[in-house]
Amino acid sequence: MLYEPRPELTETKPVPGFAQRVFSGIQPTGNLHLGNYLGAIVKFVQLQQSFPCIYCVVDLHAITMPQEPAELQQSIREVTAAFLAAGIDPVKHIVFNQSRVHEHAELAWVFNCIARLGWLNRMTQFKDKAGKDRENASLGLYAYPSLMAADILVYRATHVPVGEDQKQHLELTRDVAQKFNNDYSGRIADLGFGAGYFPLPEPVIQGPATRVMSLRDGSKKMSKSDPSDYSRINLSDDSDTIAQKFRKAKTDPEPLPSEEKGLESRPEAENLVGIYAALSGRSRAELLAEFGGGQFSAFKQALTDLAVDKLGPVGKRMKQLTADPGYIDQVLRDGAERASAIAAPIMNDVKDIVGFLR
Ligand code: AQP
């Protein structure tokens, strides 16, 4: 697993022929957790140094599963607060909620007519989320990856920081871009857009922790929708809760190994060491040299102290920000205006390419 810190994200490979731009989103579907933080938000913050970035609270995606309206509004503000608390700059970059920019939904329809059923049938996230009752899943949940392609390509974004679970959706985005470019290649050339209208965006998956696992089951990813709150560390958890969750985190009876090889087939131990490595910026080998041979209790105490130290200030700032919804709403409105200014001309180009009158 790729838990080693990779602060050199700035060396991300450029996509030739396009202005380099970062886009990513997070669903407002409940408490943000350590997986979202290490797998996505930390990378969002780092990439601001080298790219213009657009970060979106993807509320259209959220309603692919049932949401209580008042809770959805609250979650949109909380995810925005987490972005800002972690260090995303809404003035130099763009932060907004997806439903405010109608071009996402418009382009998604065009992409629904580009993407093939066979492609969507292969998406593992749909299978996981629909579960056994597929007939009863929403059409929106099935078409989720097509909307995600539109989110990215409506800004002709070239780089998309995500956790490992989103890799397959990113591949589908590239397939959609490629097929659109091929299907309309003549028209794209006639209108003077060169060889291809859309870039094939690069996933930025490397980073400190690409897949953080549940604290209750090392074979399942840490997730907002896990019914057990003990499966995850929420960004809003206070220090006592963080300590309690790490104390109760599942482990095995063996002491910690002194070398990385000893973590094989020990998913819970590997996960905790990976979280420590990501939060501290130290390598797993270094940590095992220090903690190897010792009991989990001492390691868990050190991990708790580190997590409280790193996440405490983020949680505190989130609380301050959510206490001022007027400010959050202003950030989102302003971001949406600036996002629309980029998306509208791109959507107009798409209409011309496809052959709509406008
Ligand atoms: N466990 C994880 N480890 C590393 N990265 C993760 N991400 C999610 N879980 C982990 C990354 O966080 C970003 C936002 O994800 P999302 O909210 O859009 O949806 P998700 O991937 O479905 O996240 P959850 O927490 O599992 O939510 P629910 O339970 O609602 O489905 C993405 O970049 C994702 O890779």
Side-chain angles (χ1 to χ4, degrees):
M1 249 188 285
L2 292 173
Y3 274 126
E4 267 60 52
R6 296 278 301 268
E8 70 284 8
L9 285 177
T10 44
E11 287 163 22
T12 315
K13 177 166 100 179
V15 177
F18 292 89
Q20 309 297 294
R21 179 178 284 150
V22 165
F23 176 91
S24 196
I26 292 201
Q27 295 190 74
T29 45
N31 279 323
L32 286 187
H33 51 73
L34 190 59
N36 300 130
Y37 183 69
L38 294 173
I41 297 175
V42 166
K43 288 190 280 198
F44 295 1
V45 174
Q46 288 179 346
L47 286 164
Q48 294 183 113
Q49 291 161 17
S50 15
F51 295 96
C53 300
I54 303 176
Y55 295 128
C56 185
V57 184
V58 289
D59 47 11
L60 296 177
H61 285 282
I63 63 160
T64 57
M65 301 292 271
Q67 304 296 335
E68 207 284 304
E71 278 174 25
L72 179 60
Q73 289 184 329
Q74 179 65 13
S75 289
I76 295 169
R77 293 192 178 111
E78 275 172 16
V79 173
T80 310
F83 283 173
L84 305 184
I88 291 171
D89 181 339
V91 176
K92 287 199 188 121
H93 302 273
I94 296 179
V95 172
F96 73 106
N97 61 309
Q98 187 186 23
S99 58
R100 277 206 164 101
V101 179
H102 58 79
E103 285 83 1
H104 287 247
E106 276 183 68
L107 186 58
W109 179 257
V110 175
F111 287 170
N112 283 345
C113 302
I114 296 282
R116 305 289 91 185
L117 282 182
W119 300 358
L120 290 162
N121 285 338
R122 285 194 285 277
M123 295 296 114
T124 55
Q125 181 174 291
F126 175 75
K127 289 179 197 162
D128 291 346
K129 290 203 171 173
K132 291 200 175 74
D133 196 10
R134 273 181 83 153
E135 293 288 312
N136 208 22
S138 73
L139 182 55
L141 186 66
Y142 186 72
Y144 184 116
S146 175
L147 176 59
M148 181 165 154
D151 298 336
I152 297 162
L153 295 171
V154 83
Y155 303 101
R156 298 216 279 180
T158 52
H159 294 85
V160 188
V162 282
E164 205 165 88
D165 59 314
Q166 292 298 323
K167 191 170 177 212
Q168 195 184 34
H169 288 166
L170 249 300
E171 279 159 11
L172 189 127
T173 297
R174 291 167 63 92
D175 291 342
V176 166
Q178 181 80 65
K179 184 161 164 37
F180 182 92
N181 289 345
N182 289 348
D183 287 358
Y184 292 104
S185 58
R187 183 88 174 158
I188 289 170
D190 287 350
L191 290 171
F193 293 124
Y197 184 74
F198 287 119
L200 306 193
E202 285 289 333
V204 183
I205 294 178
Q206 70 273 32
T210 59
R211 191 171 174 81
V212 178
M213 309 309 277
S214 156
L215 299 183
R216 308 299 288 168
D217 176 352
S219 66
K220 276 180 20 193
K221 77 162 190 154
M222 190 176 281
S223 167
K224 297 188 212 92
S225 52
D226 192 314
S228 166
D229 199 50
Y230 278 91
S231 68
R232 63 184 161 259
I233 302 289
N234 300 310
L235 291 187
S236 54
D237 284 345
D238 60 28
S239 44
D240 288 346
T241 311
I242 293 177
Q244 206 178 16
K245 286 180 175 176
F246 276 130
R247 219 177 304 124
K248 285 185 183 264
K250 188 178 168 200
T251 44
D252 54 45
E254 302 297 316
L256 273 168
S258 304
E259 288 175 12
E260 281 188 74
K261 210 169 151 18
L263 290 174
E264 275 169 22
S265 312
R266 298 181 64 186
E268 285 84 17
E270 185 178 14
N271 190 38
L272 293 182
V273 173
I275 292 172
Y276 196 121
L279 285 172
S280 64
R282 293 170 65 190
S283 74
R284 291 196 295 178
E286 206 182 312
L287 294 176
L288 293 176
E290 180 180 335
F291 290 100
Q295 292 305 316
F296 272 105
S297 50
F299 179 72
K300 282 178 167 181
Q301 185 55 53
L303 178 55
T304 300
D305 294 344
L306 176 65
V308 167
D309 186 46
K310 296 283 177 185
L311 301 180
V314 179
K316 200 167 150 212
R317 182 82 187 116
M318 267 177 76
K319 274 203 192 83
Q320 288 167 344
L321 286 160
T322 41
D324 188 356
Y327 170 68
I328 300 270
D329 291 359
Q330 188 193 323
V331 165
L332 291 172
R333 262 195 306 274
D334 170 65
E337 234 172 76
R338 288 154 57 218
S340 292
I342 302 171
I346 291 176
M347 194 60 219
N348 281 341
D349 288 348
V350 170
K351 288 179 179 169
D352 292 344
I353 291 168
V354 168
F356 295 157
L357 290 175
R358 61 180 180 91

